[in-house]
mmCIF file with all atom_site columns, all heavy atoms in Angstrom:
data_model
loop_
_atom_site.group_PDB
_atom_site.id
_atom_site.type_symbol
_atom_site.label_atom_id
_atom_site.label_alt_id
_atom_site.label_comp_id
_atom_site.label_asym_id
_atom_site.label_entity_id
_atom_site.label_seq_id
_atom_site.pdbx_PDB_ins_code
_atom_site.Cartn_x
_atom_site.Cartn_y
_atom_site.Cartn_z
_atom_site.occupancy
_atom_site.B_iso_or_equiv
_atom_site.pdbx_formal_charge
_atom_site.auth_seq_id
_atom_site.auth_comp_id
_atom_site.auth_asym_id
_atom_site.auth_atom_id
_atom_site.pdbx_PDB_model_num
ATOM 1  N N   . LYS A 1 3  ? 12.952 -13.979 8.276  1.00 0.00 ? 40 LYS A N   1
ATOM 2  C CA  . LYS A 1 3  ? 11.967 -13.699 9.309  1.00 0.00 ? 40 LYS A CA  1
ATOM 3  C C   . LYS A 1 3  ? 12.246 -12.369 9.991  1.00 0.00 ? 40 LYS A C   1
ATOM 4  O O   . LYS A 1 3  ? 13.403 -11.994 10.186 1.00 0.00 ? 40 LYS A O   1
ATOM 5  C CB  . LYS A 1 3  ? 11.966 -14.795 10.377 1.00 0.00 ? 40 LYS A CB  1
ATOM 6  C CG  . LYS A 1 3  ? 11.231 -16.054 9.998  1.00 0.00 ? 40 LYS A CG  1
ATOM 7  C CD  . LYS A 1 3  ? 11.196 -17.001 11.195 1.00 0.00 ? 40 LYS A CD  1
ATOM 8  C CE  . LYS A 1 3  ? 10.320 -18.212 10.911 1.00 0.00 ? 40 LYS A CE  1
ATOM 9  N NZ  . LYS A 1 3  ? 10.233 -19.107 12.088 1.00 0.00 ? 40 LYS A NZ  1
ATOM 10 N N   . ASP A 1 4  ? 11.174 -11.690 10.366 1.00 0.00 ? 41 ASP A N   1
ATOM 11 C CA  . ASP A 1 4  ? 11.276 -10.440 11.103 1.00 0.00 ? 41 ASP A CA  1
ATOM 12 C C   . ASP A 1 4  ? 10.464 -10.582 12.387 1.00 0.00 ? 41 ASP A C   1
ATOM 13 O O   . ASP A 1 4  ? 9.384  -11.179 12.380 1.00 0.00 ? 41 ASP A O   1
ATOM 14 C CB  . ASP A 1 4  ? 10.721 -9.303  10.249 1.00 0.00 ? 41 ASP A CB  1
ATOM 15 C CG  . ASP A 1 4  ? 11.098 -7.936  10.788 1.00 0.00 ? 41 ASP A CG  1
ATOM 16 O OD1 . ASP A 1 4  ? 11.981 -7.871  11.666 1.00 0.00 ? 41 ASP A OD1 1
ATOM 17 O OD2 . ASP A 1 4  ? 10.522 -6.944  10.339 1.00 0.00 ? 41 ASP A OD2 1
ATOM 18 N N   . TYR A 1 5  ? 10.978 -10.057 13.491 1.00 0.00 ? 42 TYR A N   1
ATOM 19 C CA  . TYR A 1 5  ? 10.325 -10.183 14.785 1.00 0.00 ? 42 TYR A CA  1
ATOM 20 C C   . TYR A 1 5  ? 10.065 -8.804  15.384 1.00 0.00 ? 42 TYR A C   1
ATOM 21 O O   . TYR A 1 5  ? 10.742 -7.832  15.054 1.00 0.00 ? 42 TYR A O   1
ATOM 22 C CB  . TYR A 1 5  ? 11.201 -10.996 15.749 1.00 0.00 ? 42 TYR A CB  1
ATOM 23 C CG  . TYR A 1 5  ? 11.399 -12.426 15.321 1.00 0.00 ? 42 TYR A CG  1
ATOM 24 C CD1 . TYR A 1 5  ? 12.413 -12.766 14.409 1.00 0.00 ? 42 TYR A CD1 1
ATOM 25 C CD2 . TYR A 1 5  ? 10.590 -13.440 15.813 1.00 0.00 ? 42 TYR A CD2 1
ATOM 26 C CE1 . TYR A 1 5  ? 12.603 -14.082 14.010 1.00 0.00 ? 42 TYR A CE1 1
ATOM 27 C CE2 . TYR A 1 5  ? 10.770 -14.766 15.424 1.00 0.00 ? 42 TYR A CE2 1
ATOM 28 C CZ  . TYR A 1 5  ? 11.783 -15.071 14.524 1.00 0.00 ? 42 TYR A CZ  1
ATOM 29 O OH  . TYR A 1 5  ? 11.966 -16.363 14.123 1.00 0.00 ? 42 TYR A OH  1
ATOM 30 N N   . ILE A 1 6  ? 9.081  -8.742  16.294 1.00 0.00 ? 43 ILE A N   1
ATOM 31 C CA  . ILE A 1 6  ? 8.776  -7.491  16.993 1.00 0.00 ? 43 ILE A CA  1
ATOM 32 C C   . ILE A 1 6  ? 8.709  -7.744  18.491 1.00 0.00 ? 43 ILE A C   1
ATOM 33 O O   . ILE A 1 6  ? 8.445  -8.861  18.946 1.00 0.00 ? 43 ILE A O   1
ATOM 34 C CB  . ILE A 1 6  ? 7.440  -6.871  16.510 1.00 0.00 ? 43 ILE A CB  1
ATOM 35 C CG1 . ILE A 1 6  ? 6.292  -7.870  16.655 1.00 0.00 ? 43 ILE A CG1 1
ATOM 36 C CG2 . ILE A 1 6  ? 7.559  -6.364  15.099 1.00 0.00 ? 43 ILE A CG2 1
ATOM 37 C CD1 . ILE A 1 6  ? 4.926  -7.270  16.394 1.00 0.00 ? 43 ILE A CD1 1
ATOM 38 N N   . LEU A 1 7  ? 8.947  -6.661  19.237 1.00 0.00 ? 44 LEU A N   1
ATOM 39 C CA  . LEU A 1 7  ? 8.813  -6.735  20.687 1.00 0.00 ? 44 LEU A CA  1
ATOM 40 C C   . LEU A 1 7  ? 7.349  -6.884  21.067 1.00 0.00 ? 44 LEU A C   1
ATOM 41 O O   . LEU A 1 7  ? 6.474  -6.277  20.455 1.00 0.00 ? 44 LEU A O   1
ATOM 42 C CB  . LEU A 1 7  ? 9.376  -5.460  21.327 1.00 0.00 ? 44 LEU A CB  1
ATOM 43 C CG  . LEU A 1 7  ? 10.880 -5.218  21.174 1.00 0.00 ? 44 LEU A CG  1
ATOM 44 C CD1 . LEU A 1 7  ? 11.229 -3.815  21.647 1.00 0.00 ? 44 LEU A CD1 1
ATOM 45 C CD2 . LEU A 1 7  ? 11.670 -6.251  21.951 1.00 0.00 ? 44 LEU A CD2 1
ATOM 46 N N   . ILE A 1 8  ? 7.075  -7.692  22.091 1.00 0.00 ? 45 ILE A N   1
ATOM 47 C CA  . ILE A 1 8  ? 5.700  -7.877  22.550 1.00 0.00 ? 45 ILE A CA  1
ATOM 48 C C   . ILE A 1 8  ? 5.651  -7.839  24.071 1.00 0.00 ? 45 ILE A C   1
ATOM 49 O O   . ILE A 1 8  ? 6.641  -8.122  24.745 1.00 0.00 ? 45 ILE A O   1
ATOM 50 C CB  . ILE A 1 8  ? 5.121  -9.224  22.065 1.00 0.00 ? 45 ILE A CB  1
ATOM 51 C CG1 . ILE A 1 8  ? 5.980  -10.385 22.573 1.00 0.00 ? 45 ILE A CG1 1
ATOM 52 C CG2 . ILE A 1 8  ? 4.986  -9.260  20.560 1.00 0.00 ? 45 ILE A CG2 1
ATOM 53 C CD1 . ILE A 1 8  ? 5.331  -11.740 22.425 1.00 0.00 ? 45 ILE A CD1 1
ATOM 54 N N   . PRO A 1 9  ? 4.495  -7.512  24.656 1.00 0.00 ? 46 PRO A N   1
ATOM 55 C CA  . PRO A 1 9  ? 4.328  -7.638  26.104 1.00 0.00 ? 46 PRO A CA  1
ATOM 56 C C   . PRO A 1 9  ? 4.390  -9.109  26.514 1.00 0.00 ? 46 PRO A C   1
ATOM 57 O O   . PRO A 1 9  ? 4.051  -10.000 25.723 1.00 0.00 ? 46 PRO A O   1
ATOM 58 C CB  . PRO A 1 9  ? 2.926  -7.055  26.357 1.00 0.00 ? 46 PRO A CB  1
ATOM 59 C CG  . PRO A 1 9  ? 2.592  -6.270  25.132 1.00 0.00 ? 46 PRO A CG  1
ATOM 60 C CD  . PRO A 1 9  ? 3.319  -6.932  24.006 1.00 0.00 ? 46 PRO A CD  1
ATOM 61 N N   . ASN A 1 10 ? 4.811  -9.377  27.728 1.00 0.00 ? 47 ASN A N   1
ATOM 62 C CA  . ASN A 1 10 ? 4.945  -10.758 28.198 1.00 0.00 ? 47 ASN A CA  1
ATOM 63 C C   . ASN A 1 10 ? 3.657  -11.547 28.078 1.00 0.00 ? 47 ASN A C   1
ATOM 64 O O   . ASN A 1 10 ? 3.662  -12.744 27.772 1.00 0.00 ? 47 ASN A O   1
ATOM 65 C CB  . ASN A 1 10 ? 5.421  -10.771 29.658 1.00 0.00 ? 47 ASN A CB  1
ATOM 66 C CG  . ASN A 1 10 ? 6.879  -10.371 29.792 1.00 0.00 ? 47 ASN A CG  1
ATOM 67 O OD1 . ASN A 1 10 ? 7.706  -10.795 28.990 1.00 0.00 ? 47 ASN A OD1 1
ATOM 68 N ND2 . ASN A 1 10 ? 7.201  -9.557  30.780 1.00 0.00 ? 47 ASN A ND2 1
ATOM 69 N N   . GLU A 1 11 ? 2.501  -10.876 28.310 1.00 0.00 ? 48 GLU A N   1
ATOM 70 C CA  . GLU A 1 11 ? 1.226  -11.588 28.302 1.00 0.00 ? 48 GLU A CA  1
ATOM 71 C C   . GLU A 1 11 ? 0.816  -12.057 26.904 1.00 0.00 ? 48 GLU A C   1
ATOM 72 O O   . GLU A 1 11 ? -0.093 -12.877 26.760 1.00 0.00 ? 48 GLU A O   1
ATOM 73 C CB  . GLU A 1 11 ? 0.115  -10.714 28.894 1.00 0.00 ? 48 GLU A CB  1
ATOM 74 C CG  . GLU A 1 11 ? -0.143 -9.423  28.151 1.00 0.00 ? 48 GLU A CG  1
ATOM 75 C CD  . GLU A 1 11 ? 0.680  -8.253  28.692 1.00 0.00 ? 48 GLU A CD  1
ATOM 76 O OE1 . GLU A 1 11 ? 1.695  -8.525  29.373 1.00 0.00 ? 48 GLU A OE1 1
ATOM 77 O OE2 . GLU A 1 11 ? 0.297  -7.104  28.438 1.00 0.00 ? 48 GLU A OE2 1
ATOM 78 N N   . GLN A 1 12 ? 1.469  -11.551 25.858 1.00 0.00 ? 49 GLN A N   1
ATOM 79 C CA  . GLN A 1 12 ? 1.126  -11.962 24.500 1.00 0.00 ? 49 GLN A CA  1
ATOM 80 C C   . GLN A 1 12 ? 2.021  -13.070 23.969 1.00 0.00 ? 49 GLN A C   1
ATOM 81 O O   . GLN A 1 12 ? 1.861  -13.515 22.841 1.00 0.00 ? 49 GLN A O   1
ATOM 82 C CB  . GLN A 1 12 ? 1.199  -10.756 23.555 1.00 0.00 ? 49 GLN A CB  1
ATOM 83 C CG  . GLN A 1 12 ? 0.086  -9.731  23.744 1.00 0.00 ? 49 GLN A CG  1
ATOM 84 C CD  . GLN A 1 12 ? 0.087  -8.691  22.651 1.00 0.00 ? 49 GLN A CD  1
ATOM 85 O OE1 . GLN A 1 12 ? 1.128  -8.226  22.212 1.00 0.00 ? 49 GLN A OE1 1
ATOM 86 N NE2 . GLN A 1 12 ? -1.098 -8.305  22.202 1.00 0.00 ? 49 GLN A NE2 1
ATOM 87 N N   . ASP A 1 13 ? 2.921  -13.569 24.803 1.00 0.00 ? 50 ASP A N   1
ATOM 88 C CA  . ASP A 1 13 ? 3.911  -14.534 24.350 1.00 0.00 ? 50 ASP A CA  1
ATOM 89 C C   . ASP A 1 13 ? 3.277  -15.838 23.866 1.00 0.00 ? 50 ASP A C   1
ATOM 90 O O   . ASP A 1 13 ? 3.699  -16.415 22.877 1.00 0.00 ? 50 ASP A O   1
ATOM 91 C CB  . ASP A 1 13 ? 4.905  -14.817 25.482 1.00 0.00 ? 50 ASP A CB  1
ATOM 92 C CG  . ASP A 1 13 ? 6.144  -15.542 24.992 1.00 0.00 ? 50 ASP A CG  1
ATOM 93 O OD1 . ASP A 1 13 ? 6.417  -15.476 23.780 1.00 0.00 ? 50 ASP A OD1 1
ATOM 94 O OD2 . ASP A 1 13 ? 6.825  -16.181 25.799 1.00 0.00 ? 50 ASP A OD2 1
#
Side-chain angles (χ1 to χ4, degrees):
K40 281 185 173 182
D41 194 13
Y42 295 85
I43 56 172
L44 295 170
I45 59 167
N47 288 318
E48 61 269 19
Q49 289 189 320
D50 194 21

